Amino acid sequence: VRIIRLWEVPNYNNPNVVDSIELVLIDEKGSRIQASIRKTIMQRFSNMVKEGSCRIIAKFGLISNIGKHRATNHSYKLNFFSRLLSENVKMCRSLYMGLILHHLPKFLRMRLMTQS
């Protein structure tokens, strides 16, 4: 996927502290999905994620994308885990979201395909 947008989310009580990194990812077909990197694992991934870069990711979590301020219309978003595998793509081209989502159970894949 290509990282098309990236921003840091400050702590509600202390704006000088970053609580998470949020991303918007896009595949070759133009499907967009939001992703989130929590504070506890930010250091592991902060140097790997840059706007405009392409990554192959695997072993991530999938959670409901709820709330008033959603970056995409997708019903779900990806949640980075410490065991997430991330590999840089040398030739920067977007990949089909299906290549990434093949790790999900079939019922979730079908639900995601109908919602994108």
Side-chain angles (χ1 to χ4, degrees):
V1 293
R2 183 184 306 258
I3 301 168
I4 60 170
R5 187 81 171 107
L6 171 107
W7 67 97
E8 295 177 341
V9 178
N11 181 287
Y12 182 77
N13 294 319
N14 185 356
N16 297 324
V17 175
V18 176
D19 266 352
S20 68
I21 297 174
E22 297 291 320
L23 308 107
V24 175
L25 310 173
I26 190 168
D27 69 5
E28 192 171 74
K29 293 181 180 179
S31 298
R32 295 173 189 226
I33 192 164
Q34 188 172 343
S36 182
I37 304 171
R38 293 179 316 225
K39 180 179 183 173
T40 55
I41 59 171
M42 274 190 325
Q43 280 196 297
R44 178 166 184 230
F45 296 105
S46 61
N47 61 345
M48 294 183 193
V49 292
K50 295 179 186 157
E51 276 189 22
S53 67
C54 293
R55 307 293 297 182
I56 297 173
I57 59 173
K59 297 185 180 180
F60 49 83
L62 186 68
I63 59 174
S64 292
N65 191 13
I66 57 175
K68 295 181 199 175
H69 309 291
R70 293 169 41 180
T72 66
N73 289 328
H74 208 292
S75 299
Y76 297 95
K77 74 179 189 176
L78 305 180
N79 200 3
F80 281 42
F81 291 139
S82 59
R83 68 179 190 276
L84 179 127
L85 302 175
S86 179
E87 183 178 319
N88 195 26
V89 180
K90 297 210 189 263
M91 292 185 65
C92 194
R93 61 182 179 84
S94 297
L95 303 171
Y96 287 104
M97 190 68 75
L99 292 174
I100 291 172
L101 300 180
H102 78 279
H103 293 283
L104 299 175
K106 186 175 182 178
F107 77 95
L108 284 176
R109 274 189 302 223
M110 299 308 287
R111 187 182 268 174
L112 287 170
M113 299 285 196
T114 59
Q115 304 226 351
S116 351

